Amino acid sequence: MRYFIGNWKMFGVPKSVSILNKINSYYSKDKNRNKYKVVITPPYTLIESFSNHFKNKKISIGAQNCFQKDQFSSNTAAISSYMLKSVGAKYTLVGHSDNRGEGDTDEMLKDKVRYALKNNLKVVFCIGENKTEKKNKKTLSVLKRQLTKAMEKKFKKNDIIIAYEPIWSIGTGKIPSANELKKITIHIKKVLKGIFKKNSPAVLYGGSVDGTNVEMFKEIREIDGFLIGGASKSSKKFIDIIKNYYR
Ligand code: PGA
């Protein structure tokens, strides 16, 4: 199974559902539709209405983050996985570099993953090195640390998706070379097989993915799909990625 996950970040108002209607109508007619899943993570404000709108449709709705506590707490502005589940979310991102950059530690992320799974959300766990770590050849060790700090063998591999997103690539138009990316994806799967008793969860790539560079990414068969930021805000750009992937 492949995944095309659109991360809207701070984008969207109720009428933006028209973008998803177009993606959904492409998806429901695509002859390749059984080979992949489409998930969109809009801002919190749209999760309930979008989840209702697409209840019996192909697209699934997820959240961009969740708080590291179960159910309810006294943390102002925090949203728990329990609350997300209650309004129809099926997935949540955890550990996006935007949130790691705002202070999410490995320990906090571990709790987010735990509570998300407890509340029956599938977790899209984001990992990735920054520019300095890449320059200092620390990429593989950074990724291993991020994975081993948060993942546990008791988790079900089908409830977890890993998104490899090099921070230097997000929103910059810069992407890793095919060789580099293949090597890194194989490394990630090796670490995951160590944790999940020989079975690796799906591993996605994210960072400046578009309808053109997906032609290069699709040659790397180890990559199980994409986490798409900028290009997911346009139905045409998002559909182009899927079209060109299966061309
Ligand atoms: P981008 O964002 O596709 O705009 O680089 C990816 C992400 O942040 O998830």
Side-chain angles (χ1 to χ4, degrees), residues 125-145:
F125 188 69
C126 306
I127 57 173
E129 81 286 4
N130 64 30
K131 212 166 147 185
T132 316
E133 289 161 341
K134 177 178 163 59
K135 194 167 141 262
N136 295 333
K137 304 206 181 323
K138 294 270 186 283
T139 300
L140 300 187
S141 61
V142 167
L143 299 177
K144 186 171 181 179
R145 193 204 75 230

PDB file of all heavy atoms in Angstrom, residues 125-145:
ATOM      1  N   PHE A 125       4.683   9.326  11.988  1.00  0.00           N
ATOM      2  CA  PHE A 125       5.774   9.832  12.817  1.00  0.00           C
ATOM      3  C   PHE A 125       6.885  10.407  11.923  1.00  0.00           C
ATOM      4  O   PHE A 125       7.446   9.697  11.100  1.00  0.00           O
ATOM      5  CB  PHE A 125       6.307   8.695  13.694  1.00  0.00           C
ATOM      6  CG  PHE A 125       7.302   9.157  14.714  1.00  0.00           C
ATOM      7  CD1 PHE A 125       6.898   9.961  15.779  1.00  0.00           C
ATOM      8  CD2 PHE A 125       8.638   8.809  14.608  1.00  0.00           C
ATOM      9  CE1 PHE A 125       7.815  10.409  16.722  1.00  0.00           C
ATOM     10  CE2 PHE A 125       9.567   9.246  15.554  1.00  0.00           C
ATOM     11  CZ  PHE A 125       9.150  10.049  16.610  1.00  0.00           C
ATOM     12  N   CYS A 126       7.148  11.696  12.116  1.00  0.00           N
ATOM     13  CA  CYS A 126       8.106  12.391  11.241  1.00  0.00           C
ATOM     14  C   CYS A 126       9.497  12.429  11.859  1.00  0.00           C
ATOM     15  O   CYS A 126       9.652  12.715  13.052  1.00  0.00           O
ATOM     16  CB  CYS A 126       7.648  13.833  10.999  1.00  0.00           C
ATOM     17  SG  CYS A 126       5.963  13.956  10.382  1.00  0.00           S
ATOM     18  N   ILE A 127      10.474  12.134  11.022  1.00  0.00           N
ATOM     19  CA  ILE A 127      11.872  12.188  11.462  1.00  0.00           C
ATOM     20  C   ILE A 127      12.669  12.925  10.377  1.00  0.00           C
ATOM     21  O   ILE A 127      12.211  13.040   9.244  1.00  0.00           O
ATOM     22  CB  ILE A 127      12.461  10.767  11.683  1.00  0.00           C
ATOM     23  CG1 ILE A 127      12.334   9.919  10.394  1.00  0.00           C
ATOM     24  CG2 ILE A 127      11.751  10.063  12.829  1.00  0.00           C
ATOM     25  CD1 ILE A 127      13.036   8.573  10.480  1.00  0.00           C
ATOM     26  N   GLY A 128      13.837  13.394  10.749  1.00  0.00           N
ATOM     27  CA  GLY A 128      14.655  14.055   9.732  1.00  0.00           C
ATOM     28  C   GLY A 128      15.790  14.848  10.353  1.00  0.00           C
ATOM     29  O   GLY A 128      15.668  15.334  11.480  1.00  0.00           O
ATOM     30  N   GLU A 129      16.870  14.945   9.600  1.00  0.00           N
ATOM     31  CA  GLU A 129      18.053  15.670  10.088  1.00  0.00           C
ATOM     32  C   GLU A 129      18.033  17.110   9.585  1.00  0.00           C
ATOM     33  O   GLU A 129      17.394  17.404   8.562  1.00  0.00           O
ATOM     34  CB  GLU A 129      19.343  14.964   9.619  1.00  0.00           C
ATOM     35  CG  GLU A 129      19.794  15.272   8.182  1.00  0.00           C
ATOM     36  CD  GLU A 129      18.959  14.599   7.105  1.00  0.00           C
ATOM     37  OE1 GLU A 129      17.972  13.935   7.426  1.00  0.00           O
ATOM     38  OE2 GLU A 129      19.312  14.760   5.902  1.00  0.00           O
ATOM     39  N   ASN A 130      18.726  17.979  10.310  1.00  0.00           N
ATOM     40  CA  ASN A 130      18.849  19.364   9.818  1.00  0.00           C
ATOM     41  C   ASN A 130      20.119  19.503   8.968  1.00  0.00           C
ATOM     42  O   ASN A 130      20.873  18.543   8.789  1.00  0.00           O
ATOM     43  CB  ASN A 130      18.778  20.376  10.969  1.00  0.00           C
ATOM     44  CG  ASN A 130      19.936  20.231  11.941  1.00  0.00           C
ATOM     45  OD1 ASN A 130      21.032  19.819  11.559  1.00  0.00           O
ATOM     46  ND2 ASN A 130      19.704  20.565  13.203  1.00  0.00           N
ATOM     47  N   LYS A 131      20.310  20.714   8.482  1.00  0.00           N
ATOM     48  CA  LYS A 131      21.409  20.970   7.552  1.00  0.00           C
ATOM     49  C   LYS A 131      22.786  20.682   8.169  1.00  0.00           C
ATOM     50  O   LYS A 131      23.654  20.060   7.549  1.00  0.00           O
ATOM     51  CB  LYS A 131      21.342  22.450   7.166  1.00  0.00           C
ATOM     52  CG  LYS A 131      21.800  22.774   5.791  1.00  0.00           C
ATOM     53  CD  LYS A 131      21.346  24.178   5.468  1.00  0.00           C
ATOM     54  CE  LYS A 131      22.329  24.882   4.567  1.00  0.00           C
ATOM     55  NZ  LYS A 131      21.911  26.275   4.376  1.00  0.00           N
ATOM     56  N   THR A 132      22.952  21.120   9.431  1.00  0.00           N
ATOM     57  CA  THR A 132      24.248  20.920  10.099  1.00  0.00           C
ATOM     58  C   THR A 132      24.511  19.439  10.329  1.00  0.00           C
ATOM     59  O   THR A 132      25.618  18.940  10.107  1.00  0.00           O
ATOM     60  CB  THR A 132      24.250  21.649  11.474  1.00  0.00           C
ATOM     61  OG1 THR A 132      23.667  22.929  11.289  1.00  0.00           O
ATOM     62  CG2 THR A 132      25.624  21.768  12.059  1.00  0.00           C
ATOM     63  N   GLU A 133      23.472  18.714  10.775  1.00  0.00           N
ATOM     64  CA  GLU A 133      23.639  17.276  11.007  1.00  0.00           C
ATOM     65  C   GLU A 133      24.000  16.567   9.702  1.00  0.00           C
ATOM     66  O   GLU A 133      24.825  15.654   9.681  1.00  0.00           O
ATOM     67  CB  GLU A 133      22.348  16.701  11.600  1.00  0.00           C
ATOM     68  CG  GLU A 133      22.127  17.151  13.037  1.00  0.00           C
ATOM     69  CD  GLU A 133      20.689  17.017  13.534  1.00  0.00           C
ATOM     70  OE1 GLU A 133      19.743  16.922  12.707  1.00  0.00           O
ATOM     71  OE2 GLU A 133      20.503  17.038  14.756  1.00  0.00           O
ATOM     72  N   LYS A 134      23.374  17.012   8.617  1.00  0.00           N
ATOM     73  CA  LYS A 134      23.691  16.409   7.311  1.00  0.00           C
ATOM     74  C   LYS A 134      25.155  16.688   6.956  1.00  0.00           C
ATOM     75  O   LYS A 134      25.890  15.787   6.545  1.00  0.00           O
ATOM     76  CB  LYS A 134      22.770  16.994   6.246  1.00  0.00           C
ATOM     77  CG  LYS A 134      23.068  16.490   4.827  1.00  0.00           C
ATOM     78  CD  LYS A 134      22.062  17.088   3.855  1.00  0.00           C
ATOM     79  CE  LYS A 134      22.485  16.991   2.400  1.00  0.00           C
ATOM     80  NZ  LYS A 134      22.719  15.630   1.937  1.00  0.00           N
ATOM     81  N   LYS A 135      25.545  17.945   7.141  1.00  0.00           N
ATOM     82  CA  LYS A 135      26.911  18.352   6.803  1.00  0.00           C
ATOM     83  C   LYS A 135      27.938  17.553   7.614  1.00  0.00           C
ATOM     84  O   LYS A 135      28.993  17.163   7.115  1.00  0.00           O
ATOM     85  CB  LYS A 135      27.059  19.856   7.072  1.00  0.00           C
ATOM     86  CG  LYS A 135      28.283  20.483   6.480  1.00  0.00           C
ATOM     87  CD  LYS A 135      28.200  22.009   6.498  1.00  0.00           C
ATOM     88  CE  LYS A 135      29.526  22.625   6.838  1.00  0.00           C
ATOM     89  NZ  LYS A 135      29.669  23.007   8.240  1.00  0.00           N
ATOM     90  N   ASN A 136      27.589  17.299   8.878  1.00  0.00           N
ATOM     91  CA  ASN A 136      28.508  16.558   9.752  1.00  0.00           C
ATOM     92  C   ASN A 136      28.329  15.043   9.657  1.00  0.00           C
ATOM     93  O   ASN A 136      28.786  14.297  10.523  1.00  0.00           O
ATOM     94  CB  ASN A 136      28.317  17.009  11.207  1.00  0.00           C
ATOM     95  CG  ASN A 136      28.719  18.452  11.397  1.00  0.00           C
ATOM     96  OD1 ASN A 136      29.565  18.975  10.663  1.00  0.00           O
ATOM     97  ND2 ASN A 136      28.106  19.130  12.351  1.00  0.00           N
ATOM     98  N   LYS A 137      27.639  14.614   8.615  1.00  0.00           N
ATOM     99  CA  LYS A 137      27.419  13.171   8.372  1.00  0.00           C
ATOM    100  C   LYS A 137      26.754  12.443   9.544  1.00  0.00           C
ATOM    101  O   LYS A 137      27.075  11.298   9.879  1.00  0.00           O
ATOM    102  CB  LYS A 137      28.732  12.493   7.992  1.00  0.00           C
ATOM    103  CG  LYS A 137      29.428  13.121   6.802  1.00  0.00           C
ATOM    104  CD  LYS A 137      30.315  12.117   6.090  1.00  0.00           C
ATOM    105  CE  LYS A 137      31.067  12.677   4.896  1.00  0.00           C
ATOM    106  NZ  LYS A 137      30.363  13.650   4.087  1.00  0.00           N
ATOM    107  N   LYS A 138      25.827  13.141  10.168  1.00  0.00           N
ATOM    108  CA  LYS A 138      25.140  12.552  11.324  1.00  0.00           C
ATOM    109  C   LYS A 138      23.742  12.016  10.959  1.00  0.00           C
ATOM    110  O   LYS A 138      22.997  11.550  11.827  1.00  0.00           O
ATOM    111  CB  LYS A 138      24.964  13.613  12.428  1.00  0.00           C
ATOM    112  CG  LYS A 138      26.258  14.103  13.065  1.00  0.00           C
ATOM    113  CD  LYS A 138      26.601  13.218  14.254  1.00  0.00           C
ATOM    114  CE  LYS A 138      27.800  13.719  15.030  1.00  0.00           C
ATOM    115  NZ  LYS A 138      29.078  13.409  14.362  1.00  0.00           N
ATOM    116  N   THR A 139      23.376  12.111   9.691  1.00  0.00           N
ATOM    117  CA  THR A 139      22.002  11.765   9.295  1.00  0.00           C
ATOM    118  C   THR A 139      21.550  10.398   9.831  1.00  0.00           C
ATOM    119  O   THR A 139      20.520  10.302  10.502  1.00  0.00           O
ATOM    120  CB  THR A 139      21.867  11.793   7.752  1.00  0.00           C
ATOM    121  OG1 THR A 139      22.183  13.117   7.325  1.00  0.00           O
ATOM    122  CG2 THR A 139      20.464  11.450   7.293  1.00  0.00           C
ATOM    123  N   LEU A 140      22.323   9.357   9.559  1.00  0.00           N
ATOM    124  CA  LEU A 140      21.867   8.014   9.923  1.00  0.00           C
ATOM    125  C   LEU A 140      21.719   7.859  11.434  1.00  0.00           C
ATOM    126  O   LEU A 140      20.763   7.250  11.924  1.00  0.00           O
ATOM    127  CB  LEU A 140      22.810   6.946   9.355  1.00  0.00           C
ATOM    128  CG  LEU A 140      22.954   6.923   7.821  1.00  0.00           C
ATOM    129  CD1 LEU A 140      23.766   5.710   7.371  1.00  0.00           C
ATOM    130  CD2 LEU A 140      21.604   6.937   7.103  1.00  0.00           C
ATOM    131  N   SER A 141      22.659   8.461  12.196  1.00  0.00           N
ATOM    132  CA  SER A 141      22.559   8.304  13.652  1.00  0.00           C
ATOM    133  C   SER A 141      21.407   9.142  14.227  1.00  0.00           C
ATOM    134  O   SER A 141      20.738   8.723  15.167  1.00  0.00           O
ATOM    135  CB  SER A 141      23.892   8.621  14.337  1.00  0.00           C
ATOM    136  OG  SER A 141      24.264   9.955  14.079  1.00  0.00           O
ATOM    137  N   VAL A 142      21.158  10.309  13.649  1.00  0.00           N
ATOM    138  CA  VAL A 142      20.019  11.135  14.110  1.00  0.00           C
ATOM    139  C   VAL A 142      18.711  10.377  13.887  1.00  0.00           C
ATOM    140  O   VAL A 142      17.856  10.289  14.766  1.00  0.00           O
ATOM    141  CB  VAL A 142      19.986  12.492  13.352  1.00  0.00           C
ATOM    142  CG1 VAL A 142      18.661  13.208  13.563  1.00  0.00           C
ATOM    143  CG2 VAL A 142      21.148  13.378  13.797  1.00  0.00           C
ATOM    144  N   LEU A 143      18.562   9.794  12.710  1.00  0.00           N
ATOM    145  CA  LEU A 143      17.312   9.083  12.385  1.00  0.00           C
ATOM    146  C   LEU A 143      17.129   7.879  13.309  1.00  0.00           C
ATOM    147  O   LEU A 143      16.022   7.617  13.797  1.00  0.00           O
ATOM    148  CB  LEU A 143      17.326   8.627  10.923  1.00  0.00           C
ATOM    149  CG  LEU A 143      17.436   9.770   9.893  1.00  0.00           C
ATOM    150  CD1 LEU A 143      17.514   9.205   8.479  1.00  0.00           C
ATOM    151  CD2 LEU A 143      16.273  10.747  10.015  1.00  0.00           C
ATOM    152  N   LYS A 144      18.221   7.190  13.558  1.00  0.00           N
ATOM    153  CA  LYS A 144      18.130   6.025  14.439  1.00  0.00           C
ATOM    154  C   LYS A 144      17.685   6.453  15.842  1.00  0.00           C
ATOM    155  O   LYS A 144      16.816   5.827  16.457  1.00  0.00           O
ATOM    156  CB  LYS A 144      19.490   5.316  14.500  1.00  0.00           C
ATOM    157  CG  LYS A 144      19.432   4.037  15.272  1.00  0.00           C
ATOM    158  CD  LYS A 144      20.699   3.244  15.154  1.00  0.00           C
ATOM    159  CE  LYS A 144      20.528   1.947  15.945  1.00  0.00           C
ATOM    160  NZ  LYS A 144      21.694   1.100  15.880  1.00  0.00           N
ATOM    161  N   ARG A 145      18.269   7.549  16.325  1.00  0.00           N
ATOM    162  CA  ARG A 145      17.879   8.034  17.660  1.00  0.00           C
ATOM    163  C   ARG A 145      16.399   8.419  17.698  1.00  0.00           C
ATOM    164  O   ARG A 145      15.658   8.017  18.588  1.00  0.00           O
ATOM    165  CB  ARG A 145      18.734   9.247  18.065  1.00  0.00           C
ATOM    166  CG  ARG A 145      18.580   9.583  19.549  1.00  0.00           C
ATOM    167  CD  ARG A 145      18.902  11.027  19.895  1.00  0.00           C
ATOM    168  NE  ARG A 145      17.827  11.913  19.474  1.00  0.00           N
ATOM    169  CZ  ARG A 145      17.995  13.016  18.753  1.00  0.00           C
ATOM    170  NH1 ARG A 145      19.190  13.378  18.369  1.00  0.00           N
ATOM    171  NH2 ARG A 145      16.958  13.764  18.408  1.00  0.00           N
TER     172      ARG A 145
END
